[in-house]
Amino acid sequence: MVQRSSNAEVMSMDLSPKKPAKAYGSDGGAYYDWSPADLPMLGAASIGAAKLHLSAGGLALPSYSDSAKVAYVLQGAGSCGLVLPEAAKEKVIPVKEGDALALPFGTVTWWHNAEGSSADLVVLFLGDTSKGHTPGRFTNFQLTGATGIFTGFSTEFVARAWDLDQDAAAKIVSTQPGSGVVKVAAGHRMPEARAEDREGVVLNCLEAPLDVDIPGGGCVVVLNTANLPLVKEVGLGADLVRIGSRSMCSPGFSCDSAYQVTYIVRGGGRVQVVGIDGTRVLETRAEAGCLFIVPRFFVVSKIADDTGMEWFSIITTPNPIFSHLAGKTSVWKAISPAVLETAFNTTPEMEKMFRSKRLDSEIFFAPN
């Protein structure tokens, strides 16, 4: 069972956006993650976050995790090998920027950036660690390499399991000195990715139909059980949001007890978060590469810089519901005028002026 933080603990936590630290790597690339020691809300929300960078020819060795995740390709193109639980066959998926993949518990994956690639392959992982070993941090189990599972078994057990003689068993376990990320030998032929393997597993958020599109304001693609059924097994929803220069994202909150975990993909802007008793708990500027988490029911709003802002978020429920506090779909438009007059302690004229605003704007507001 997840241990909930008290109101006082959440209100006093440092919510400021953070960048990850390098966990391990080689000439093939590196793996970075965010620590709950640096970003306490990770532990409070039982959310893990990490990034994989693969240079040309880089290979993330086959592994599985203690957490269900959503993977999002931030940059580049490459291949993802995927073996779902109880599957008899590996999928070799061509991946590119904008791709989102749902990775349920027990899924074994490897990632590869082609030898001749001109760009790094960069993949973001966000997921639920509530059933993991360390709340707020992924624990990955490598199948091969210096830290591979089978380095811990005796040669006798390995030989018996794989029907090898002991010399062969000892050799196959020890010949890969790398750990986690390696570089594929020049000229070594890797399996061809198959476009048909994307079906039902991948949604490209840059090509998918827009769920919200406000000219001059912004647009949203929502990842849910309707467009990617595997999301149900992962238990997370996600979205990609892009807002234009100096546009504003309406103040709003998740109304189904979910946390919002946000990674800034590009651009930047100002962020404010308001919590219990109207206390502003965060006022900062978020920039590309940073991650921050909005506590349950807290209200968040963002205003982009001149360059605009793009972010990828997961929400800790597969079909999230949001309530907005500005715009034509806000709760203010639904509440009775007489109630608003009393609630704001204002005049009927002021209430009418308030209600008459934002009649043609939804959740994104272009600059005046």
Side-chain angles (χ1 to χ4, degrees):
M1 180 179 293
V2 178
Q3 184 69 41
R4 298 275 190 209
S5 299
S6 70
N7 288 348
E9 288 173 329
V10 172
M11 289 291 289
S12 64
M13 281 183 184
D14 178 11
L15 302 182
S16 58
K18 298 291 195 304
K19 291 188 175 182
K22 184 177 178 179
Y24 56 81
S26 71
D27 58 348
Y31 179 86
Y32 301 80
D33 68 356
W34 282 264
S35 166
D38 297 326
L39 193 57
M41 275 304 302
L42 288 171
S46 289
I47 294 294
K51 274 204 303 185
L52 175 67
H53 288 241
L54 291 178
S55 57
L59 173 70
L61 295 172
S63 67
Y64 63 93
S65 175
D66 64 350
S67 305
K69 305 174 185 176
V70 171
Y72 182 71
V73 180
L74 295 167
Q75 175 187 303
S79 301
C80 171
L82 186 148
V83 182
L84 293 168
E86 300 185 340
K89 186 180 178 183
E90 170 191 64
K91 292 180 181 289
V92 182
I93 302 165
V95 295
K96 61 183 179 179
E97 182 179 341
D99 279 349
L101 297 82
L103 305 176
F105 280 112
T107 300
V108 173
T109 60
W110 54 261
W111 299 81
H112 177 240
N113 191 11
E115 182 180 351
S117 176
S118 60
D120 284 0
L121 174 63
V122 183
V123 185
L124 174 71
F125 300 97
L126 301 174
D128 175 13
T129 65
S130 61
K131 297 180 181 178
H133 288 274
T134 304
R137 203 165 203 170
F138 298 132
T139 300
N140 298 320
F141 294 83
Q142 306 293 331
L143 296 188
T144 66
T147 57
I149 291 294
F150 281 89
T151 62
F153 282 104
S154 67
T155 303
E156 177 193 359
F157 270 59
V158 176
R160 185 75 178 271
W162 291 346
D163 192 24
L164 298 171
D165 63 53
Q166 294 209 16
D167 287 344
K171 185 175 182 180
I172 196 170
V173 168
S174 63
T175 50
Q176 175 53 271
S179 176
V181 176
V182 301
K183 192 152 191 170
V184 176
H188 181 74
R189 187 173 179 180
M190 294 293 286
E192 291 287 335
R194 299 180 290 265
E196 60 268 26
D197 282 351
R198 289 174 60 90
E199 187 174 349
V201 179
V202 183
L203 177 75
N204 188 279
C205 296
L206 299 177
E207 299 173 355
L210 298 174
D211 293 280
V212 177
D213 185 12
I214 299 172
C219 59
V220 184
V221 170
V222 178
L223 190 72
N224 55 32
T225 55
N227 52 23
L228 193 61
L230 268 179
V231 163
K232 183 177 182 180
E233 294 186 40
V234 174
L236 302 167
D239 58 28
L240 178 70
V241 181
R242 289 167 283 174
I243 61 175
S245 173
R246 298 187 293 116
S247 288
M248 181 182 195
C249 181
S250 166
F253 64 94
S254 170
C255 51
D256 46 10
S257 190
Y259 292 92
Q260 300 175 60
V261 186
T262 299
Y263 175 85
I264 308 298
V265 177
R266 54 179 53 87
R270 295 164 53 205
V271 180
Q272 291 188 356
V273 178
V274 175
I276 299 166
D277 294 331
T279 301
R280 189 186 308 154
V281 292
L282 179 66
E283 180 167 11
T284 190
R285 184 184 180 279
E287 61 183 23
C290 288
L291 182 93
F292 68 96
I293 300 175
V294 179
R296 297 176 307 126
F297 299 109
F298 283 31
V299 178
V300 60
S301 183
K302 309 175 187 75
I303 298 177
D305 291 342
D306 289 342
T307 56
M309 182 159 51
E310 177 179 333
W311 64 88
F312 184 80
S313 297
I314 64 163
I315 303 93
T316 55
T317 180
N319 294 297
I321 301 172
F322 289 95
S323 185
H324 294 281
L325 299 177
K328 71 177 184 180
T329 58
S330 75
V331 297
W332 303 122
K333 305 306 184 194
I335 294 176
S336 303
V339 173
L340 286 186
E341 288 175 30
T342 303
F344 281 119
N345 189 27
T346 191
T347 64
E349 292 74 23
M350 180 64 76
E351 189 281 330
K352 286 178 182 177
M353 184 188 73
F354 174 73
R355 187 182 295 274
S356 70
K357 302 296 184 179
R358 297 291 186 207
L359 294 178
D360 58 352
S361 303
E362 291 191 45
I363 61 174
F364 302 126
F365 312 134
N368 294 328

